[in-house]
PDB file of all heavy atoms in Angstrom:
ATOM      1  N   GLU F  25     130.247  53.885 146.224  1.00 68.00           N
ATOM      2  CA  GLU F  25     128.802  53.847 146.178  1.00 68.00           C
ATOM      3  C   GLU F  25     128.316  52.527 145.586  1.00 68.00           C
ATOM      4  O   GLU F  25     127.369  51.922 146.075  1.00 68.00           O
ATOM      5  CB  GLU F  25     128.302  55.005 145.328  1.00 68.00           C
ATOM      6  CG  GLU F  25     126.831  55.210 145.471  1.00 68.00           C
ATOM      7  CD  GLU F  25     126.409  56.546 144.892  1.00 68.00           C
ATOM      8  OE1 GLU F  25     127.278  57.257 144.349  1.00 68.00           O
ATOM      9  OE2 GLU F  25     125.219  56.857 144.988  1.00 68.00           O
ATOM     10  N   PRO F  30     135.712  50.429 138.265  1.00 93.00           N
ATOM     11  CA  PRO F  30     135.662  51.085 136.948  1.00 93.00           C
ATOM     12  C   PRO F  30     134.412  51.950 136.793  1.00 93.00           C
ATOM     13  O   PRO F  30     134.446  52.984 136.119  1.00 93.00           O
ATOM     14  CB  PRO F  30     135.627  49.907 135.960  1.00 93.00           C
ATOM     15  CG  PRO F  30     136.149  48.734 136.722  1.00 93.00           C
ATOM     16  CD  PRO F  30     135.748  48.965 138.140  1.00 93.00           C
ATOM     17  N   ARG F  33     135.022  55.166 138.672  1.00 94.00           N
ATOM     18  CA  ARG F  33     135.941  56.035 137.927  1.00 94.00           C
ATOM     19  C   ARG F  33     135.218  56.720 136.774  1.00 94.00           C
ATOM     20  O   ARG F  33     135.469  57.890 136.493  1.00 94.00           O
ATOM     21  CB  ARG F  33     137.122  55.213 137.389  1.00 94.00           C
ATOM     22  CG  ARG F  33     138.215  55.022 138.436  1.00 94.00           C
ATOM     23  CD  ARG F  33     139.512  54.564 137.804  1.00 94.00           C
ATOM     24  NE  ARG F  33     139.460  53.195 137.358  1.00 94.00           N
ATOM     25  CZ  ARG F  33     139.740  52.139 138.117  1.00 94.00           C
ATOM     26  NH1 ARG F  33     140.093  52.314 139.375  1.00 94.00           N
ATOM     27  NH2 ARG F  33     139.667  50.922 137.640  1.00 94.00           N
ATOM     28  N   THR F  40     133.243  65.579 136.114  1.00 94.00           N
ATOM     29  CA  THR F  40     134.111  66.734 135.880  1.00 94.00           C
ATOM     30  C   THR F  40     133.573  67.604 134.751  1.00 94.00           C
ATOM     31  O   THR F  40     134.025  68.724 134.568  1.00 94.00           O
ATOM     32  CB  THR F  40     135.544  66.306 135.504  1.00 94.00           C
ATOM     33  OG1 THR F  40     135.501  65.606 134.247  1.00 94.00           O
ATOM     34  CG2 THR F  40     136.140  65.384 136.549  1.00 94.00           C
ATOM     35  N   TYR F  55     124.064  54.836 131.018  1.00 94.00           N
ATOM     36  CA  TYR F  55     123.700  54.924 129.606  1.00 94.00           C
ATOM     37  C   TYR F  55     124.854  54.448 128.734  1.00 94.00           C
ATOM     38  O   TYR F  55     124.665  53.629 127.828  1.00 94.00           O
ATOM     39  CB  TYR F  55     123.328  56.371 129.260  1.00 94.00           C
ATOM     40  CG  TYR F  55     123.073  56.591 127.788  1.00 94.00           C
ATOM     41  CD1 TYR F  55     121.831  56.320 127.227  1.00 94.00           C
ATOM     42  CD2 TYR F  55     124.093  57.037 126.952  1.00 94.00           C
ATOM     43  CE1 TYR F  55     121.613  56.501 125.876  1.00 94.00           C
ATOM     44  CE2 TYR F  55     123.876  57.223 125.601  1.00 94.00           C
ATOM     45  CZ  TYR F  55     122.633  56.951 125.067  1.00 94.00           C
ATOM     46  OH  TYR F  55     122.425  57.121 123.729  1.00 94.00           O
ATOM     47  N   LEU F  56     126.057  54.921 129.026  1.00 94.00           N
ATOM     48  CA  LEU F  56     127.221  54.539 128.213  1.00 94.00           C
ATOM     49  C   LEU F  56     127.496  53.041 128.328  1.00 94.00           C
ATOM     50  O   LEU F  56     127.915  52.403 127.359  1.00 94.00           O
ATOM     51  CB  LEU F  56     128.453  55.338 128.642  1.00 94.00           C
ATOM     52  CG  LEU F  56     128.428  56.822 128.245  1.00 94.00           C
ATOM     53  CD1 LEU F  56     129.566  57.583 128.907  1.00 94.00           C
ATOM     54  CD2 LEU F  56     128.504  56.971 126.728  1.00 94.00           C
ATOM     55  N   GLN F  59     125.039  50.977 126.036  1.00 92.00           N
ATOM     56  CA  GLN F  59     125.054  51.109 124.578  1.00 92.00           C
ATOM     57  C   GLN F  59     125.728  49.929 123.888  1.00 92.00           C
ATOM     58  O   GLN F  59     126.650  49.339 124.426  1.00 92.00           O
ATOM     59  CB  GLN F  59     125.793  52.399 124.172  1.00 92.00           C
ATOM     60  CG  GLN F  59     125.112  53.649 124.615  1.00 92.00           C
ATOM     61  CD  GLN F  59     123.615  53.613 124.349  1.00 92.00           C
ATOM     62  OE1 GLN F  59     123.190  53.538 123.210  1.00 92.00           O
ATOM     63  NE2 GLN F  59     122.824  53.624 125.418  1.00 92.00           N
ATOM     64  N   LYS F  63     128.022  51.825 118.931  1.00 93.00           N
ATOM     65  CA  LYS F  63     127.615  53.157 119.352  1.00 93.00           C
ATOM     66  C   LYS F  63     128.654  53.755 120.305  1.00 93.00           C
ATOM     67  O   LYS F  63     129.002  54.948 120.207  1.00 93.00           O
ATOM     68  CB  LYS F  63     126.243  53.040 120.021  1.00 93.00           C
ATOM     69  CG  LYS F  63     125.777  54.250 120.796  1.00 93.00           C
ATOM     70  CD  LYS F  63     125.188  55.304 119.905  1.00 93.00           C
ATOM     71  CE  LYS F  63     124.904  56.588 120.696  1.00 93.00           C
ATOM     72  NZ  LYS F  63     126.096  57.269 121.216  1.00 93.00           N
ATOM     73  N   ALA F  64     129.138  52.942 121.235  1.00 92.00           N
ATOM     74  CA  ALA F  64     130.117  53.429 122.214  1.00 92.00           C
ATOM     75  C   ALA F  64     131.429  53.784 121.524  1.00 92.00           C
ATOM     76  O   ALA F  64     132.072  54.780 121.867  1.00 92.00           O
ATOM     77  CB  ALA F  64     130.347  52.374 123.290  1.00 92.00           C
ATOM     78  N   GLU F  73     138.830  61.993 117.731  1.00 94.00           N
ATOM     79  CA  GLU F  73     139.022  62.606 116.421  1.00 94.00           C
ATOM     80  C   GLU F  73     138.990  64.131 116.536  1.00 94.00           C
ATOM     81  O   GLU F  73     139.832  64.826 115.958  1.00 94.00           O
ATOM     82  CB  GLU F  73     137.921  62.139 115.448  1.00 94.00           C
ATOM     83  CG  GLU F  73     138.211  62.516 114.005  1.00 94.00           C
ATOM     84  CD  GLU F  73     136.958  62.681 113.170  1.00 94.00           C
ATOM     85  OE1 GLU F  73     135.841  62.646 113.711  1.00 94.00           O
ATOM     86  OE2 GLU F  73     137.111  62.871 111.949  1.00 94.00           O
ATOM     87  N   ARG F  75     139.646  65.947 119.110  1.00 94.00           N
ATOM     88  CA  ARG F  75     140.839  66.450 119.789  1.00 94.00           C
ATOM     89  C   ARG F  75     142.073  66.382 118.904  1.00 94.00           C
ATOM     90  O   ARG F  75     142.953  67.232 118.966  1.00 94.00           O
ATOM     91  CB  ARG F  75     141.066  65.702 121.089  1.00 94.00           C
ATOM     92  CG  ARG F  75     140.063  66.127 122.168  1.00 94.00           C
ATOM     93  CD  ARG F  75     140.435  65.542 123.505  1.00 94.00           C
ATOM     94  NE  ARG F  75     141.808  65.805 123.840  1.00 94.00           N
ATOM     95  CZ  ARG F  75     142.240  66.844 124.562  1.00 94.00           C
ATOM     96  NH1 ARG F  75     141.369  67.721 125.019  1.00 94.00           N
ATOM     97  NH2 ARG F  75     143.515  67.003 124.828  1.00 94.00           N
ATOM     98  N   ASP F  89     139.506  72.255 111.429  1.00 94.00           N
ATOM     99  CA  ASP F  89     140.314  71.061 111.161  1.00 94.00           C
ATOM    100  C   ASP F  89     141.169  71.255 109.902  1.00 94.00           C
ATOM    101  O   ASP F  89     141.828  70.335 109.461  1.00 94.00           O
ATOM    102  CB  ASP F  89     139.429  69.811 111.023  1.00 94.00           C
ATOM    103  CG  ASP F  89     138.372  69.977 109.953  1.00 94.00           C
ATOM    104  OD1 ASP F  89     138.074  71.118 109.578  1.00 94.00           O
ATOM    105  OD2 ASP F  89     137.838  68.948 109.496  1.00 94.00           O
ATOM    106  N   ARG F 120     124.990  83.034 112.725  1.00 86.00           N
ATOM    107  CA  ARG F 120     123.550  82.755 112.666  1.00 86.00           C
ATOM    108  C   ARG F 120     122.752  83.996 112.281  1.00 86.00           C
ATOM    109  O   ARG F 120     121.640  83.881 111.768  1.00 86.00           O
ATOM    110  CB  ARG F 120     123.062  82.206 114.011  1.00 86.00           C
ATOM    111  CG  ARG F 120     123.339  80.720 114.196  1.00 86.00           C
ATOM    112  CD  ARG F 120     122.498  80.128 115.330  1.00 86.00           C
ATOM    113  NE  ARG F 120     122.864  80.670 116.639  1.00 86.00           N
ATOM    114  CZ  ARG F 120     123.834  80.181 117.411  1.00 86.00           C
ATOM    115  NH1 ARG F 120     124.545  79.152 117.009  1.00 86.00           N
ATOM    116  NH2 ARG F 120     124.108  80.718 118.576  1.00 86.00           N
TER     117      ARG F 120
ATOM    118  N   GLU D  21     126.945  74.037 111.434  1.00 68.00           N
ATOM    119  CA  GLU D  21     126.900  75.212 112.292  1.00 68.00           C
ATOM    120  C   GLU D  21     128.275  75.867 112.412  1.00 68.00           C
ATOM    121  O   GLU D  21     128.403  77.084 112.345  1.00 68.00           O
ATOM    122  CB  GLU D  21     126.406  74.797 113.664  1.00 68.00           C
ATOM    123  CG  GLU D  21     126.027  75.975 114.500  1.00 68.00           C
ATOM    124  CD  GLU D  21     125.262  75.537 115.726  1.00 68.00           C
ATOM    125  OE1 GLU D  21     125.102  74.323 115.915  1.00 68.00           O
ATOM    126  OE2 GLU D  21     124.831  76.414 116.482  1.00 68.00           O
ATOM    127  N   PRO D  26     134.776  67.457 112.356  1.00 93.00           N
ATOM    128  CA  PRO D  26     135.000  66.678 113.585  1.00 93.00           C
ATOM    129  C   PRO D  26     134.284  67.292 114.787  1.00 93.00           C
ATOM    130  O   PRO D  26     133.832  66.580 115.681  1.00 93.00           O
ATOM    131  CB  PRO D  26     136.525  66.731 113.770  1.00 93.00           C
ATOM    132  CG  PRO D  26     137.077  67.069 112.438  1.00 93.00           C
ATOM    133  CD  PRO D  26     136.045  67.945 111.785  1.00 93.00           C
ATOM    134  N   ARG D  29     130.626  66.393 114.523  1.00 94.00           N
ATOM    135  CA  ARG D  29     130.415  64.984 114.889  1.00 94.00           C
ATOM    136  C   ARG D  29     130.465  64.810 116.401  1.00 94.00           C
ATOM    137  O   ARG D  29     129.695  64.039 116.970  1.00 94.00           O
ATOM    138  CB  ARG D  29     131.481  64.099 114.218  1.00 94.00           C
ATOM    139  CG  ARG D  29     131.130  63.746 112.781  1.00 94.00           C
ATOM    140  CD  ARG D  29     131.959  62.574 112.273  1.00 94.00           C
ATOM    141  NE  ARG D  29     133.336  62.939 112.015  1.00 94.00           N
ATOM    142  CZ  ARG D  29     133.783  63.451 110.857  1.00 94.00           C
ATOM    143  NH1 ARG D  29     132.946  63.648 109.857  1.00 94.00           N
ATOM    144  NH2 ARG D  29     135.047  63.761 110.718  1.00 94.00           N
ATOM    145  N   THR D  36     123.470  62.745 121.825  1.00 94.00           N
ATOM    146  CA  THR D  36     122.725  61.492 121.992  1.00 94.00           C
ATOM    147  C   THR D  36     122.625  61.110 123.469  1.00 94.00           C
ATOM    148  O   THR D  36     121.853  60.234 123.823  1.00 94.00           O
ATOM    149  CB  THR D  36     123.401  60.323 121.247  1.00 94.00           C
ATOM    150  OG1 THR D  36     124.678  60.071 121.848  1.00 94.00           O
ATOM    151  CG2 THR D  36     123.616  60.631 119.775  1.00 94.00           C
ATOM    152  N   TYR D  51     134.438  72.137 125.996  1.00 94.00           N
ATOM    153  CA  TYR D  51     135.154  71.784 127.222  1.00 94.00           C
ATOM    154  C   TYR D  51     136.142  70.650 126.960  1.00 94.00           C
ATOM    155  O   TYR D  51     137.304  70.718 127.340  1.00 94.00           O
ATOM    156  CB  TYR D  51     134.140  71.385 128.302  1.00 94.00           C
ATOM    157  CG  TYR D  51     134.795  70.875 129.559  1.00 94.00           C
ATOM    158  CD1 TYR D  51     135.247  71.755 130.539  1.00 94.00           C
ATOM    159  CD2 TYR D  51     134.984  69.510 129.762  1.00 94.00           C
ATOM    160  CE1 TYR D  51     135.862  71.289 131.680  1.00 94.00           C
ATOM    161  CE2 TYR D  51     135.605  69.035 130.903  1.00 94.00           C
ATOM    162  CZ  TYR D  51     136.039  69.932 131.861  1.00 94.00           C
ATOM    163  OH  TYR D  51     136.663  69.471 132.991  1.00 94.00           O
ATOM    164  N   LEU D  52     135.672  69.618 126.272  1.00 94.00           N
ATOM    165  CA  LEU D  52     136.537  68.460 125.996  1.00 94.00           C
ATOM    166  C   LEU D  52     137.724  68.859 125.111  1.00 94.00           C
ATOM    167  O   LEU D  52     138.825  68.339 125.277  1.00 94.00           O
ATOM    168  CB  LEU D  52     135.736  67.337 125.336  1.00 94.00           C
ATOM    169  CG  LEU D  52     134.752  66.607 126.262  1.00 94.00           C
ATOM    170  CD1 LEU D  52     133.840  65.677 125.477  1.00 94.00           C
ATOM    171  CD2 LEU D  52     135.510  65.813 127.332  1.00 94.00           C
ATOM    172  N   GLN D  55     140.538  70.673 127.217  1.00 92.00           N
ATOM    173  CA  GLN D  55     141.249  69.965 128.270  1.00 92.00           C
ATOM    174  C   GLN D  55     142.667  69.578 127.848  1.00 92.00           C
ATOM    175  O   GLN D  55     142.917  69.307 126.680  1.00 92.00           O
ATOM    176  CB  GLN D  55     140.495  68.691 128.667  1.00 92.00           C
ATOM    177  CG  GLN D  55     139.165  68.948 129.295  1.00 92.00           C
ATOM    178  CD  GLN D  55     139.233  70.058 130.316  1.00 92.00           C
ATOM    179  OE1 GLN D  55     139.926  69.954 131.311  1.00 92.00           O
ATOM    180  NE2 GLN D  55     138.549  71.166 130.037  1.00 92.00           N
ATOM    181  N   LYS D  59     144.138  64.816 130.776  1.00 93.00           N
ATOM    182  CA  LYS D  59     142.777  64.809 131.302  1.00 93.00           C
ATOM    183  C   LYS D  59     141.815  64.150 130.300  1.00 93.00           C
ATOM    184  O   LYS D  59     140.937  63.376 130.675  1.00 93.00           O
ATOM    185  CB  LYS D  59     142.369  66.263 131.591  1.00 93.00           C
ATOM    186  CG  LYS D  59     140.903  66.518 131.851  1.00 93.00           C
ATOM    187  CD  LYS D  59     140.515  66.202 133.252  1.00 93.00           C
ATOM    188  CE  LYS D  59     138.999  66.313 133.421  1.00 93.00           C
ATOM    189  NZ  LYS D  59     138.232  65.311 132.678  1.00 93.00           N
ATOM    190  N   ALA D  60     141.987  64.470 129.030  1.00 93.00           N
ATOM    191  CA  ALA D  60     141.108  63.917 128.008  1.00 93.00           C
ATOM    192  C   ALA D  60     141.307  62.407 127.881  1.00 93.00           C
ATOM    193  O   ALA D  60     140.353  61.651 127.703  1.00 93.00           O
ATOM    194  CB  ALA D  60     141.350  64.611 126.677  1.00 93.00           C
ATOM    195  N   GLU D  69     137.411  51.552 129.814  1.00 94.00           N
ATOM    196  CA  GLU D  69     137.675  50.595 130.885  1.00 94.00           C
ATOM    197  C   GLU D  69     136.362  50.090 131.481  1.00 94.00           C
ATOM    198  O   GLU D  69     136.192  48.891 131.696  1.00 94.00           O
ATOM    199  CB  GLU D  69     138.524  51.245 131.978  1.00 94.00           C
ATOM    200  CG  GLU D  69     139.055  50.234 132.982  1.00 94.00           C
ATOM    201  CD  GLU D  69     139.318  50.840 134.355  1.00 94.00           C
ATOM    202  OE1 GLU D  69     138.954  52.005 134.601  1.00 94.00           O
ATOM    203  OE2 GLU D  69     139.864  50.102 135.195  1.00 94.00           O
ATOM    204  N   ARG D  71     133.451  49.970 130.108  1.00 94.00           N
ATOM    205  CA  ARG D  71     132.748  49.095 129.173  1.00 94.00           C
ATOM    206  C   ARG D  71     133.422  47.738 129.048  1.00 94.00           C
ATOM    207  O   ARG D  71     132.761  46.713 128.859  1.00 94.00           O
ATOM    208  CB  ARG D  71     132.626  49.765 127.809  1.00 94.00           C
ATOM    209  CG  ARG D  71     131.588  50.894 127.825  1.00 94.00           C
ATOM    210  CD  ARG D  71     131.328  51.391 126.437  1.00 94.00           C
ATOM    211  NE  ARG D  71     131.011  50.323 125.531  1.00 94.00           N
ATOM    212  CZ  ARG D  71     129.790  49.902 125.235  1.00 94.00           C
ATOM    213  NH1 ARG D  71     128.745  50.473 125.786  1.00 94.00           N
ATOM    214  NH2 ARG D  71     129.606  48.922 124.383  1.00 94.00           N
ATOM    215  N   ASP D  85     132.733  44.285 138.276  1.00 94.00           N
ATOM    216  CA  ASP D  85     133.919  43.976 137.476  1.00 94.00           C
ATOM    217  C   ASP D  85     134.549  42.660 137.934  1.00 94.00           C
ATOM    218  O   ASP D  85     135.621  42.291 137.476  1.00 94.00           O
ATOM    219  CB  ASP D  85     134.935  45.123 137.533  1.00 94.00           C
ATOM    220  CG  ASP D  85     135.346  45.457 138.961  1.00 94.00           C
ATOM    221  OD1 ASP D  85     134.605  45.098 139.898  1.00 94.00           O
ATOM    222  OD2 ASP D  85     136.401  46.079 139.137  1.00 94.00           O
ATOM    223  N   ARG D 116     122.076  52.605 150.386  1.00 86.00           N
ATOM    224  CA  ARG D 116     122.228  53.855 151.122  1.00 86.00           C
ATOM    225  C   ARG D 116     121.375  53.874 152.389  1.00 86.00           C
ATOM    226  O   ARG D 116     121.687  54.605 153.325  1.00 86.00           O
ATOM    227  CB  ARG D 116     121.859  55.049 150.232  1.00 86.00           C
ATOM    228  CG  ARG D 116     122.990  55.486 149.306  1.00 86.00           C
ATOM    229  CD  ARG D 116     122.735  56.882 148.733  1.00 86.00           C
ATOM    230  NE  ARG D 116     121.565  56.924 147.851  1.00 86.00           N
ATOM    231  CZ  ARG D 116     121.593  56.655 146.550  1.00 86.00           C
ATOM    232  NH1 ARG D 116     122.729  56.311 145.961  1.00 86.00           N
ATOM    233  NH2 ARG D 116     120.496  56.709 145.820  1.00 86.00           N
TER     234      ARG D 116
END
Side-chain angles (χ1 to χ4, degrees):
Chain F
E25 192 166 3
R33 277 196 288 273
T40 64
Y55 174 84
L56 288 170
Q59 295 315 297
K63 167 81 188 66
E73 191 207 7
R75 286 189 51 93
D89 56 341
R120 279 197 294 273
Chain D
E21 193 167 3
R29 277 196 287 273
T36 65
Y51 174 84
L52 288 170
Q55 295 316 298
K59 167 81 187 67
E69 191 207 8
R71 287 189 52 93
D85 57 340
R116 278 196 295 273

